[in-house]
Amino acid sequence: MEPFAVTKFREYIRIKTVHPDPDYDGAIAFLDKYAEELGLECRHVKVSKDDVNRTIVIMTWKGRNPNLKSILLNSHTDVVPVYEDQWKCDAFAAIKDENGDIYGRGTQDMKCVGIQYLEAIRRLKKEGKQFERDIHLTFVPEEELGGEYGAAVFFKTKEFSDLNIGMALDEGLANEGNKYTAYYGERSPWWIRFKSEGNPGHGSRFIENTAAEKLMKLIDTLLNFREEEKVKFQQSVKCNLGDATTVNLTKIEGGLAYNIVPAELSACFDIRIPPTVDLKEFEGQLTKWCESAGQGVSFEFVQKTSNTNVTSTDANDPWWKAFTDGIKKLNIELTTEVFSGATDSRFLRAAGYPAIGFSPMRNTPIRLHDHNEFLNETNFMEGIDAYYAILPCLADVPSF
């Protein structure tokens, strides 16, 4: 017989909170009912002023001492689109095969974690447990679009401030080996549009000083830098992806017709920068590369994160000690890394809150945003055990 927690997980997967038209209403109704089942306080905070229902669902399990800083368990409800013809089954049917592998968009990123929080709390409440600190669960929209209209807005509101957060847990990645991975920081995502202006003219002539020539020079410089970083990453046994600067050309724009040399072209890059890099210096390097490419070459930020805050992993830090004490109960080895992508945790760290990215999945290939995303039933249930061990340690951290 299927565990009740797995049934709830599959039900959550079937709610199509997929962009560009996520069913947030369906997710909110599902979560409201969940909170009622568990006897958790539940309220909503709307973070948008337009017709899109960007609503934060907040659940609260009260502790004995509301004056103490609380614990935040954050997760996002939205998921990325799928290439339906590349999936072996319906990406929103939550099909479970004979091996116990559950297929569906969001199985790893990150509907599993939201349900694991709730089912660990169900188990703890059933045992009559209560802790010193309040535990808040937040289910936020728009993370997959960068979080700018979801968590980034919410974390600046009075409603969030009133939660009196001491530390937070958010998403991580699966570990393909037999360990868990905790993420204490993130790279800064810079989405940049480089613009090149040059002489236009007829496509039959040798036009000098064209936008294309200068843009190609800049692109070559950026891709050469990319190759240097790639080599350093591959040659270092201690370097994880989160420790490297990645540079990827994602879009080229411009031109009016096949026979017109354009007066302007642009190239868009996704650059991810680790917290060890001086961001001011790096931006200065980008400026120099533009100047070297030629007059009329410039850049603008589409998205720019300039936070290099990391969460302490010092053995004497009370929050980190409590988290790792919980992991020790599981007898599972823990590794630590800088997260290679970007999550809502970056907004928390930027505001000074300790935040640990943690998705308790091991022996699992990383399939977030990939075709045939899946999570095995056994690994999912083990994740509930992980939070069952960790939450009491965090929620009973003495005042400090």
Side-chain angles (χ1 to χ4, degrees):
M1 184 175 177
E2 180 175 88
F4 179 74
V6 173
T7 301
K8 298 294 283 186
F9 177 41
R10 295 173 72 188
E11 183 180 345
Y12 194 21
I13 295 299
R14 293 184 185 113
I15 302 170
K16 297 182 71 171
T17 50
V18 58
H19 292 289
D21 188 25
D23 180 15
Y24 286 141
D25 289 338
I28 291 167
F30 171 81
L31 294 168
D32 284 350
K33 184 178 178 183
Y34 222 132
E36 185 178 357
E37 282 180 25
L38 297 183
L40 299 175
E41 295 179 11
C42 186
R43 57 197 184 279
H44 299 166
V45 177
K46 189 172 182 181
V47 293
S48 62
K49 296 179 181 179
D50 52 28
D51 293 334
V52 179
N53 185 15
R54 299 188 187 100
T55 296
I56 313 294
V57 177
I58 307 172
M59 301 182 194
T60 297
W61 185 12
K62 285 290 188 181
R64 286 186 288 264
N65 190 345
N67 294 320
L68 290 177
K69 295 284 187 180
S70 64
I71 307 303
L72 176 67
L73 308 178
N74 187 62
S75 66
H76 63 83
T77 57
D78 58 322
V79 299
V80 296
V82 301
Y83 292 94
E84 293 180 5
D85 60 329
Q86 298 294 319
W87 279 67
K88 63 173 67 177
C89 58
D90 184 341
F92 298 98
I95 299 296
K96 183 171 68 172
D97 68 14
E98 64 277 5
N99 298 318
D101 294 336
I102 301 166
Y103 287 87
R105 181 57 89 216
T107 48
Q108 291 190 23
D109 184 17
M110 63 172 296
K111 289 185 174 180
C112 56
V113 173
I115 302 298
Q116 287 164 340
Y117 290 156
L118 290 163
E119 290 303 315
I121 287 173
R122 185 193 298 275
R123 193 184 301 178
L124 292 165
K125 285 177 70 72
K126 189 175 181 179
E127 294 176 357
K129 299 290 177 61
Q130 187 185 24
F131 306 108
E132 288 299 308
R133 298 173 184 269
D134 292 348
I135 297 176
H136 302 291
L137 300 90
T138 47
F139 296 83
V140 304
E142 304 293 282
E143 193 275 346
E144 297 294 5
L145 297 184
E148 298 292 339
Y149 299 102
V153 178
F154 172 59
F155 293 157
K156 295 176 182 177
T157 64
K158 182 181 184 300
E159 288 88 349
F160 175 76
S161 179
D162 289 345
L163 297 180
N164 191 30
I165 301 301
M167 74 85 61
L169 297 181
D170 200 353
E171 67 181 316
L173 292 174
N175 189 305
E176 298 187 347
N178 196 35
K179 305 174 183 179
Y180 283 152
T181 307
Y183 298 89
Y184 60 90
E186 297 186 6
R187 297 188 297 178
S188 296
W190 284 11
W191 295 352
I192 303 176
R193 179 182 292 109
F194 293 91
K195 185 172 69 173
S196 176
E197 298 172 307
N199 294 327
H202 197 280
S204 64
R205 302 175 60 217
F206 286 114
I207 308 297
E208 297 294 334
N209 195 35
T210 65
E213 290 174 296
K214 291 182 283 189
L215 186 63
M216 283 301 298
K217 185 176 180 180
L218 177 65
I219 289 174
D220 284 344
T221 300
L222 285 160
L223 293 184
N224 286 337
F225 173 75
R226 178 187 190 275
E227 188 62 25
E228 291 170 6
E229 288 294 302
K230 181 181 174 183
V231 168
K232 283 192 291 184
F233 167 64
Q234 292 175 335
Q235 291 181 347
S236 173
V237 294
K238 295 182 178 180
C239 183
N240 296 304
L241 185 56
D243 302 317
T245 300
T246 53
V247 178
N248 283 293
L249 175 61
T250 56
K251 190 186 295 187
I252 294 178
E253 302 170 319
L256 296 175
Y258 288 109
N259 60 349
I260 300 175
V261 175
E264 182 180 306
L265 290 171
S266 64
C268 302
F269 279 81
D270 182 328
I271 304 176
R272 308 291 174 113
I273 311 166
T276 51
V277 172
D278 186 309
L279 297 181
K280 189 174 181 181
E281 271 186 28
F282 189 78
E283 186 171 348
Q285 184 63 66
L286 295 179
T287 299
K288 290 178 182 177
W289 285 340
C290 286
E291 291 171 351
S292 296
Q295 189 174 4
V297 180
S298 60
F299 66 89
E300 62 180 358
F301 287 98
V302 178
Q303 177 176 302
K304 181 185 183 183
T305 299
S306 298
N307 167 51
T308 57
N309 289 359
V310 295
T311 296
S312 173
T313 56
D314 187 285
N316 295 317
D317 180 87
W319 295 123
W320 181 250
K321 182 180 183 304
F323 176 77
T324 52
D325 283 348
I327 296 292
K328 288 173 185 175
K329 293 180 185 179
L330 303 167
N331 198 30
I332 295 173
E333 187 176 345
L334 182 72
T335 62
T336 58
E337 293 184 22
V338 171
F339 197 79
S340 57
T343 73
D344 287 335
S345 291
R346 70 188 188 277
F347 304 121
L348 290 165
R349 295 191 190 98
Y353 297 99
I356 298 170
F358 179 66
S359 292
M361 298 178 282
R362 58 179 179 149
N363 302 309
T364 300
I366 297 173
R367 300 302 291 269
L368 79 167
H369 297 202
D370 201 350
H371 309 316
N372 299 311
E373 181 182 351
F374 77 93
L375 181 61
N376 185 269
E377 176 180 80
T378 300
N379 288 332
F380 169 75
M381 293 299 294
E382 184 184 80
I384 298 172
D385 296 338
Y387 288 115
Y388 174 80
I390 292 165
L391 292 183
C393 295
L394 290 174
D396 272 343
V397 169
S399 177
F400 65 91

